[in-house]
Amino acid sequence: MTTLARAEQNLILRCSDPLNAETPPDKLIASFLTPQADFYIRSHGPTPELADDHPVTLDGFIDHPRSYTVAELQAAFQSRTVVATMQCAGNRRAHLQGVGKTSGDPWDVGAIGNAEWTGVALRDVLAAAGIQDGALYVGTIGADDVDVDGETAPFGASIPIAKALEPDVLIAWAMNGKPLAPEHGAPLRLVVPGYAGVRSAKWLTRIEVRDCPSDAPIQAKDYKLFPSSVTKDEADWDQGLTIEEMPLNASICSPVDGAHVDAGACGIAGYAVAFGRAVSRVDVSVNGGTDWEQAELTVNPDAPWSWTQWRVTAGLSPGLHVLVVRAVDGAGQMQPERPEAIWNFAGYLSTAWHRITVTAR
Amino acid sequence: MTTLARAEQNLILRCSDPLNAETPPDKLIASFLTPQADFYIRSHGPTPELADDHPVTLDGFIDHPRSYTVAELQAAFQSRTVVATMQCAGNRRAHLQGVGKTSGDPWDVGAIGNAEWTGVALRDVLAAAGIQDGALYVGTIGADDVDVDGETAPFGASIPIAKALEPDVLIAWAMNGKPLAPEHGAPLRLVVPGYAGVRSAKWLTRIEVRDCPSDAPIQAKDYKLFPSSVTKDEADWDQGLTIEEMPLNASICSPVDGAHVDAGACGIAGYAVAFGRAVSRVDVSVNGGTDWEQAELTVNPDAPWSWTQWRVTAGLSPGLHVLVVRAVDGAGQMQPERPEAIWNFAGYLSTAWHRITVTAR
C-alpha cells in the first residue's frame, strides 16, 4: 500500500501533495501512545524513499566530521527512549480561520500525537564529534525538497545549541518500538521534545553545527509568529518570533463538532499539552463558558514531554450545547479566551479555548 | 525612622498590621534594579527585629545538622549574586476585584520589584550538610508569627528539592549590595527566583529538609489557586494548585489609571515578566484593544529571572482613552484577556490584560 493510500485509510487527508493528514479525534484519545499508522503526517515536499542505511553526515563547528548509518549509531552510542508529544505549529489552525483567512492547511485538533521514540541522544553524538567554540545552533538538512514561496531548497531547520544538548533530544530511528515509516522520516529523524514539529527534521541527511540559525527558507522565512496586525506581504522575517517551544493548549476530541449525542450523561474527553510545565487543571463547560467543571486528568499530568488526556461526564438536556475546554498550566497560566486576540496570517499557535457545538436529543 | 514610617514615606501603604506596602508605579520603571527603600513589603505578621548574628539552623533529612550565622555562611561558602524579580502572588489583585470580592490586600501593579541578591547557593549548603535519601522538599521557618484564619504559627513554607538545588536559589543577606533591611528579612532570607514571593521566606530561623511539603498554614492552607467556581468555605486545600512558578504578566506603570495627560504624543511604559521563558512581545493598545502597537523592550528581555521593561509612544487625541497592555512569552503564549476567566476567591495570579483609562486634553 502506498503512503498516500495508508494516509487516506487511517487519517483525515488535508493535502495530498505534499502529504498532510491528521489523526481522527477518536484515535487521539484511544490510547496514551498514538500508533504509528494513526500518527499525523506533515510533509513539506514529496516523501523521500531512502535506503535503510542512508547515512547522516555530521559537520560544521566540530573537530571530527563523519557520517553515521542507523547501524553505526546503534553500535557507537547508548540507545535512548523518550516518550514525547509531537505537534505541528499549525495544529488547530482551522479555529483561527473563522477570524480571518490564513495560509496553510486547515488542521483541526489532530496535527498532534504522542509516541515513544528510540534513538541516540544528539548530545552524545555531538560530544563524540568534539564541539568547537562558536557553536551556537545545530542545523539539520533533510532529503526532502521544499518549496517556500516559489523558492525550492532542501528542508533545513535549526535549534539552539542549549536545546540540542538536552538529554532528551534524539536522532531517532524508531517510533513505539518499530522502525520509522517512510512518512515519519525513515531511516533517521530528529526528535526535539517540546518544540514545534518542524524542528524535528525528518529524512536526515546532514547535521551541521553552526554559529547562526539555518538560512534555509523553512527556518528563515516560515514558522515565525507575528502579531495580528502584520500581513504576510509586509512581514519583516527577522522580527517574528521563531516558533520553538510550544504553548499551552487543549482540545475536545469526543464528541466532535456538530455531533448528535443522546441527552443525559455525556462523556467528554480530549487532550492537553504544556511542555516544560505540568497541566495543572482542565476546565470544561457545556454552556458556552458560563459554568465550568474540572476534568479528570487520566494520564501522566507531570510527564515533561507528553500530553495529558482528560475526561468529564456532564448532563446534557435536549437541545444545542456549546462545549468549551480550557487548560491551566503549572504556573497558573491559562489559555487565551478568543482566537481574535492571537490570529496571525500563517495561522500558527492556535490556542484559544476550544469550542464545539453538539445537539443532544 | 521606623519601618512603618519609611514605608509610608516611600511606598503606597495597603495595610499597617501586618505591614504591606507597594512600590509607586513611577518608581517601578525608574530603574532596572528597584532600590531597597522603594521595594514592596509583604509581611504576614509583625516585623521581627533580629540580631545581625541571628543563626539559621539546618536539619531534617541531612547527615550533619548545624546552624550558620551570616559570617559563618560567608566564611564557609562561595558568595553568589543573582538578579531576580520578586513578586507577591497577589500582585494586581485589585484588577480581579471588579469581578468579585476576594480576600487579601488590594494590590495594584506594585507588589513586585527587581533586585540583585547576594548570598550563598542553598544547594552548596545542602551539599555540605549531606542530603539523605527521602529528601523531597526544603522547608523554611521564619522568626515571624503568622495568623492564618485564627491559627497562629511561625511562618512556614517549602519548595520542591529540584528547585532548591537550582544554582540560583540563595540564602541571601544583601539586596543591591546592601545588607537586608529588617522589613526585607534581615539578617537572612531565602530567594527563590521565578517563584511567588511567599516561598522566599524572610527572617530565616530554620531550614528543614523534608519528605513532604511544609504543614505550616501558609503552605498548606494558603497560596493555592482554585477555579472561579470554588468558594473559600468549600475549598479542599489539597486540591488547589500550590502557587510556585509565576505566570506571564504585564503592567502599565505610566501613565496611571485616571491620569490627565497632554493630547499628542504620549509615552506609555511598564514592565513584563515571564519566568523561565523570554518575554517575546509586548502589545499596547490606546483604543481598548481594537488596534495594537508593539512596544520596545528596553532591558534584558532574555534575563531568566528579571522583568523586562517596555515603552511605546502613542498619539492621543483629546478625550478618554482606554490603554491596554498584554504580553506574549517565548512559547507564543499570551496573557488571558479578561479577569472574569481567572478570578479566584483569594485573588491570586491576576494576569488579565492590564487596562487603564486616561484623559487627554
Side-chain angles (χ1 to χ4, degrees):
Chain A
M1 197 185 286
T2 67
T3 299
L4 175 59
R6 274 204 306 275
E8 286 179 320
Q9 179 175 306
N10 296 324
L11 304 171
I12 302 167
L13 199 66
R14 295 293 174 202
C15 183
S16 58
D17 181 21
L19 179 57
N20 291 322
E22 69 178 284
T23 307
D26 58 327
K27 292 185 178 178
L28 292 170
I29 50 171
S31 53
F32 178 62
L33 296 180
T34 314
Q36 192 170 176
D38 295 340
F39 210 90
Y40 84 97
I41 300 169
R42 170 67 171 116
S43 316
H44 293 78
T47 302
E49 298 276 348
L50 303 179
D52 293 347
D53 62 352
H54 178 80
V56 58
T57 298
L58 189 68
D59 59 14
F61 281 67
I62 54 171
D63 292 331
H64 311 293
R66 63 160 290 180
S67 67
Y68 289 98
T69 63
V70 172
E72 287 167 345
L73 284 173
Q74 290 171 336
F77 302 99
Q78 179 78 41
S79 291
R80 187 174 175 88
T81 291
V82 172
V83 177
T85 295
M86 183 83 68
Q87 67 178 314
C88 179
N91 189 35
R92 297 191 55 209
R93 177 182 282 126
H95 310 162
L96 287 173
Q97 293 183 334
V99 177
K101 189 169 177 286
T102 74
S103 52
D105 290 317
W107 299 112
D108 189 31
V109 299
I112 187 170
N114 193 47
E116 183 191 84
W117 308 92
T118 301
V120 296
L122 174 60
R123 74 168 178 181
D124 290 350
V125 179
L126 294 175
I131 303 171
Q132 295 179 341
D133 287 349
L136 294 175
Y137 294 86
V138 173
T140 45
I141 293 177
D144 46 333
D145 281 323
V146 178
D147 179 285
V148 175
D149 291 332
E151 181 181 355
T152 299
F155 181 97
S158 57
I159 59 176
I161 190 81
K163 182 70 182 179
L165 295 178
E166 287 184 6
D168 289 344
V169 175
L170 303 181
I171 305 174
W173 56 75
M175 265 176 95
N176 301 332
K178 302 259 174 60
L180 292 171
E183 62 270 30
H184 294 302
L188 288 169
R189 72 174 299 171
L190 214 61
V191 173
V192 186
Y195 271 29
V198 66
R199 310 298 168 210
S200 291
K202 298 192 280 189
W203 309 294
L204 281 177
T205 285
R206 182 175 170 203
I207 295 174
E208 184 193 13
V209 181
R210 300 171 57 91
D211 61 353
C212 62
S214 169
D215 48 15
I218 286 280
Q219 183 76 31
K221 294 189 179 177
D222 204 353
Y223 290 95
K224 296 204 176 189
L225 184 72
F226 288 90
S228 302
S229 57
V230 174
T231 64
K232 186 169 184 178
D233 289 341
E234 69 191 17
D236 173 354
W237 291 99
D238 293 337
Q239 294 302 308
L241 171 66
T242 299
I243 296 173
E244 295 174 336
E245 192 182 355
M246 290 289 286
L248 178 66
N249 213 339
S251 295
I252 301 171
C253 297
S254 177
V256 297
D257 194 30
H260 290 253
V261 300
D262 291 336
C266 177
I268 306 168
Y271 65 79
V273 279
F275 297 115
R277 294 177 177 167
V279 172
S280 70
R281 208 176 82 212
V282 172
D283 299 333
V284 175
S285 172
V286 296
N287 58 8
T290 304
D291 301 294
W292 296 89
E293 187 166 347
Q294 208 168 324
E296 177 193 359
L297 306 184
T298 50
V299 285
N300 278 28
D302 292 320
W305 307 123
S306 285
W307 60 17
T308 297
Q309 292 168 328
W310 56 265
R311 67 180 169 208
V312 72
T313 302
L316 296 187
S317 55
L320 266 181
H321 297 270
V322 176
L323 276 46
V324 194
V325 68
R326 66 185 188 192
V328 175
D329 70 20
Q333 202 162 317
M334 184 185 278
Q335 289 172 246
E337 182 169 343
R338 298 183 310 128
E340 287 78 359
I342 55 170
W343 183 91
N344 59 94
F345 66 77
Y348 291 130
L349 309 189
S350 175
T351 59
W353 302 356
H354 184 209
R355 292 169 177 80
I356 66 169
T357 303
V358 301
T359 305
R361 57 186 177 184
Chain B
M1 198 184 285
T2 66
T3 299
L4 175 59
R6 273 204 306 275
E8 285 179 320
Q9 179 176 307
N10 296 324
L11 304 171
I12 302 168
L13 199 66
R14 295 293 175 202
C15 183
S16 58
D17 181 22
L19 178 57
N20 291 323
E22 68 178 286
T23 307
D26 58 325
K27 291 185 178 178
L28 292 170
I29 51 171
S31 52
F32 178 61
L33 295 180
T34 314
Q36 192 169 179
D38 295 339
F39 211 89
Y40 83 98
I41 300 169
R42 169 67 171 115
S43 316
H44 293 78
T47 301
E49 297 277 348
L50 303 179
D52 292 347
D53 62 351
H54 177 81
V56 58
T57 298
L58 189 68
D59 60 13
F61 280 66
I62 54 170
D63 292 331
H64 310 293
R66 64 160 290 181
S67 67
Y68 290 98
T69 63
V70 171
E72 287 167 345
L73 284 174
Q74 290 171 336
F77 302 99
Q78 179 78 41
S79 291
R80 187 173 175 88
T81 291
V82 172
V83 177
T85 295
M86 183 83 67
Q87 67 178 314
C88 180
N91 189 35
R92 297 191 55 207
R93 177 182 282 126
H95 310 162
L96 287 173
Q97 294 184 332
V99 178
K101 190 169 175 287
T102 75
S103 53
D105 290 317
W107 299 114
D108 189 30
V109 300
I112 188 170
N114 193 46
E116 182 191 85
W117 308 92
T118 301
V120 295
L122 174 61
R123 75 169 179 181
D124 290 350
V125 179
L126 294 176
I131 303 171
Q132 296 179 341
D133 287 349
L136 294 175
Y137 295 87
V138 174
T140 45
I141 293 178
D144 46 333
D145 281 323
V146 178
D147 179 285
V148 175
D149 291 333
E151 181 182 355
T152 298
F155 180 98
S158 57
I159 58 176
I161 190 81
K163 182 70 182 179
L165 296 178
E166 286 184 5
D168 289 343
V169 174
L170 302 182
I171 304 175
W173 56 75
M175 265 176 95
N176 301 333
K178 301 260 173 60
L180 292 171
E183 62 271 29
H184 293 303
L188 288 170
R189 73 174 299 170
L190 214 60
V191 173
V192 186
Y195 272 31
V198 66
R199 310 298 167 210
S200 291
K202 298 192 281 189
W203 309 294
L204 282 177
T205 285
R206 182 176 170 202
I207 295 174
E208 183 193 15
V209 181
R210 299 170 58 91
D211 60 353
C212 61
S214 169
D215 47 15
I218 286 280
Q219 184 76 32
K221 295 188 178 179
D222 205 353
Y223 290 95
K224 297 203 176 189
L225 183 72
F226 288 90
S228 301
S229 57
V230 174
T231 65
K232 185 169 185 179
D233 289 341
E234 68 191 20
D236 173 354
W237 291 100
D238 292 337
Q239 294 301 309
L241 171 67
T242 299
I243 296 173
E244 295 175 335
E245 192 183 353
M246 289 290 284
L248 178 67
N249 213 340
S251 295
I252 301 171
C253 297
S254 176
V256 296
D257 194 30
H260 290 253
V261 300
D262 291 335
C266 176
I268 306 168
Y271 64 78
V273 280
F275 298 115
R277 294 177 178 167
V279 172
S280 70
R281 208 177 82 212
V282 172
D283 299 333
V284 174
S285 171
V286 296
N287 58 7
T290 303
D291 302 294
W292 296 89
E293 187 165 348
Q294 208 168 325
E296 177 192 0
L297 306 184
T298 50
V299 284
N300 277 29
D302 292 321
W305 307 121
S306 285
W307 60 17
T308 297
Q309 292 169 328
W310 56 265
R311 67 179 167 209
V312 72
T313 301
L316 296 186
S317 56
L320 267 180
H321 297 270
V322 176
L323 276 46
V324 194
V325 67
R326 65 183 189 194
V328 175
D329 70 20
Q333 204 162 315
M334 184 185 278
Q335 290 173 245
E337 182 169 344
R338 299 184 308 128
E340 287 78 358
I342 55 170
W343 183 91
N344 58 95
F345 67 76
Y348 291 131
L349 308 189
S350 176
T351 59
W353 302 356
H354 184 210
R355 293 168 176 81
I356 66 169
T357 303
V358 301
T359 305
R361 56 185 178 185

